[in-house]
Amino acid sequence: MIRIAAVGAAAVLVLAACSGQGGNARTASVEASGDGTLRIGLILDNSGSQAFLNAAQLAAAKLAVQEINAAGGHKGRPVELLPEKIGGEVSDQARALVDAKADVVIGPTDSSRAPAAIDVLSKAKTVLISPANTSASLSQYKSDGYYFRTAATDVAQSPVLVKLAKDGAAKKLAVVHEQGAYGTDVSAAVSSSAKEAGMEVVTVAGFKPGEAQKAAATAAEASPDAVVVIARDGAQGAIAELQNAGVTGSQLILADGAFRQYGSDLGSRALEGARGIVPGAFPSAHLQGELVAVDKGLKDMTFAAETYDAINLAALAAAVADDDAGASVAAHLIAVSGGSAGASTQPAAAPTVCRSYKDCLARVRAGTPVDYDGESGPVRFDENGDVTAARYMVFTYGADNRAKLTGTETAGRAHR
């Protein structure tokens, strides 16, 4: 529940009976302490072959702030997007943004760099929302309630992978996974989801990149109806070994890390009929047009929808709090995302789904609780700052080992 008591020009928000770790920004009393200007910073950490990801996130951030300001900004003042700096140590970028009085920071892209940013920003009571972090281990990383992400965790895909197998009439499932945190975490989640769905997991075989022959043979010998391949660097080798072992393309289901356009890199028809998934939703035609208007050279829109939604959610949380301080934003993010753990931080009524900052803001001003479902789909943060409704694009491979978009799926809960 929430009690609001006027204290001078500020409001003291006393949050009780909410989920989450004790003493963090999601459960503690929060006093309005912002300076009236909502400032948003970016941590753009991509370099080398991944450098193109910076442009999509930057364009989405600029677009979101433009639209927020066109709708009146925060408390009548323009929201500020702090000047971006690309590359460098993440901890240094985080400290620079704290010095620039950022209330909310968007980023980083790489999950391995998130702890460095969390450590700096949570200490400063600055909210961090990543549009791209997927590591399951970050769910339990200590942030005192200041870390969120609009990207689903790696393990959230498990019920979707299982559903694809079941849709293909599979009853017996084999799992072939690359060794390491990604493969181990996702394979365990897939096995759990399969059992929940009433399927038999006949084998789970791990391998090192370049050494998948034994795992492929083990999977083939178990005579499964479908094989889920969970890998990144070793995906191509694993698929080739499965083909050599007699596992046909239509039996294969590729986790997100294994998805790519293989073409002639694999043997003829190796993936014909196989299905693979990619997290998120392709930006709508409208959003694509708006992003290109911001950056005419934009060629890839990966993480654009998630960045756009992260900023809109932060601005809506500040609007509900009537305060721009990081602590106030953190205390209201779960609620405006439609997450049940934070439903008590809005008026006591069923939230109304809204799909733009302008639409949601009108409802907030009318005293109506909101559930922002944006370009990336439903978010519904839980007490760990994780999304609990994850969307995936489903692709089907043709005889040329190239995939085409054939559908979408939603995982209703990010299983761990």
Side-chain angles (χ1 to χ4, degrees):
M1 61 180 291
I2 180 169
R3 300 191 299 276
I4 304 181
V7 181
V12 178
L13 309 183
V14 184
L15 279 62
C18 291
S19 300
Q21 300 173 5
N24 67 28
R26 294 171 191 146
T27 59
S29 298
V30 179
E31 183 173 353
S33 58
D35 61 7
T37 299
L38 178 62
R39 297 180 182 86
I40 298 175
L42 298 172
I43 291 179
L44 300 172
D45 59 318
N46 299 289
S47 59
S49 62
Q50 300 298 308
F52 69 93
L53 295 171
N54 297 321
Q57 294 177 63
L58 180 57
K62 288 180 177 179
L63 175 63
V65 170
Q66 285 176 10
E67 293 180 348
I68 291 166
N69 288 337
H74 173 69
K75 298 176 70 172
R77 293 187 183 182
V79 172
E80 292 184 7
L81 183 63
L82 298 174
E84 73 278 4
K85 176 184 177 182
I86 297 175
E89 290 293 328
V90 164
S91 57
D92 291 341
Q93 289 193 59
R95 279 189 284 269
L97 290 169
V98 170
D99 291 342
K101 299 183 179 180
D103 304 296
V104 178
V105 172
I106 308 300
T109 302
D110 193 327
S111 292
S112 68
R113 298 190 181 110
I118 295 170
D119 290 347
V120 172
L121 296 171
S122 62
K123 185 177 180 180
K125 297 184 178 181
T126 301
V127 174
L128 176 66
I129 311 175
S130 173
N133 292 167
T134 60
S135 173
S137 64
L138 291 171
S139 297
Q140 303 303 320
Y141 194 85
K142 181 175 173 55
S143 74
D144 292 329
Y146 287 93
Y147 175 64
F148 298 79
R149 45 186 165 174
T150 47
T153 62
D154 292 324
V155 296
Q157 67 187 290
S158 62
V160 174
L161 296 170
V162 169
K163 182 179 184 299
L164 293 180
K166 201 165 186 178
D167 287 349
K171 295 181 179 179
K172 297 190 297 181
L173 188 70
V175 180
V176 174
H177 71 89
E178 188 172 298
Q179 294 175 4
Y182 170 76
T184 300
D185 290 346
V186 178
S187 65
V190 167
S191 296
S192 177
S193 292
K195 291 174 183 176
E196 290 176 7
M199 298 180 69
E200 179 185 0
V201 180
V202 293
T203 189
V204 177
F207 68 92
K208 294 180 181 179
E211 301 177 12
Q213 183 177 12
K214 183 177 179 180
T218 299
E221 289 168 3
S223 300
D225 301 316
V227 178
V228 175
V229 180
I230 304 165
R232 284 179 173 149
D233 296 339
Q236 182 175 320
I239 294 167
E241 293 294 356
L242 284 163
Q243 184 186 27
N244 292 338
V247 178
T248 62
S250 60
Q251 290 177 276
L252 295 175
I253 298 170
L254 308 186
D256 63 350
F259 176 83
R260 67 200 65 161
Q261 300 290 6
Y262 288 95
S264 60
D265 290 339
L266 288 171
S268 178
R269 299 180 181 272
L271 285 173
E272 185 175 13
R275 287 154 293 164
I277 65 173
V278 174
F282 200 72
S284 66
H286 172 74
L287 182 63
Q288 291 180 56
E290 295 297 313
L291 289 169
V292 171
V294 171
D295 180 356
K296 290 181 172 55
L298 193 63
K299 299 184 183 303
D300 186 279
M301 299 188 183
T302 305
F303 304 130
E306 290 81 3
T307 301
Y308 178 83
D309 287 347
I311 291 178
N312 281 329
L313 283 162
L316 286 170
V320 172
D322 196 33
D323 183 46
D324 53 275
S328 296
V329 173
H332 291 79
L333 270 170
I334 294 176
V336 298
S337 75
S340 59
S344 57
T345 62
Q346 294 195 94
T352 301
V353 172
C354 47
R355 304 186 185 280
S356 70
Y357 175 80
K358 183 178 180 180
D359 184 23
C360 290
L361 182 62
R363 297 170 191 271
V364 169
R365 288 173 173 170
T368 303
V370 297
D371 172 3
Y372 173 81
D373 288 359
E375 286 286 338
S376 65
V379 177
R380 299 169 193 160
F381 289 129
D382 67 9
E383 64 274 13
N384 295 316
D386 290 338
V387 300
T388 57
R391 295 204 326 195
Y392 293 87
M393 294 176 282
V394 180
F395 291 80
T396 301
Y397 285 86
D400 59 355
N401 299 326
R402 302 190 70 81
K404 293 183 179 180
L405 180 66
T406 53
T408 60
E409 294 286 348
T410 299
R413 173 71 198 181
H415 296 280
R416 291 183 188 83

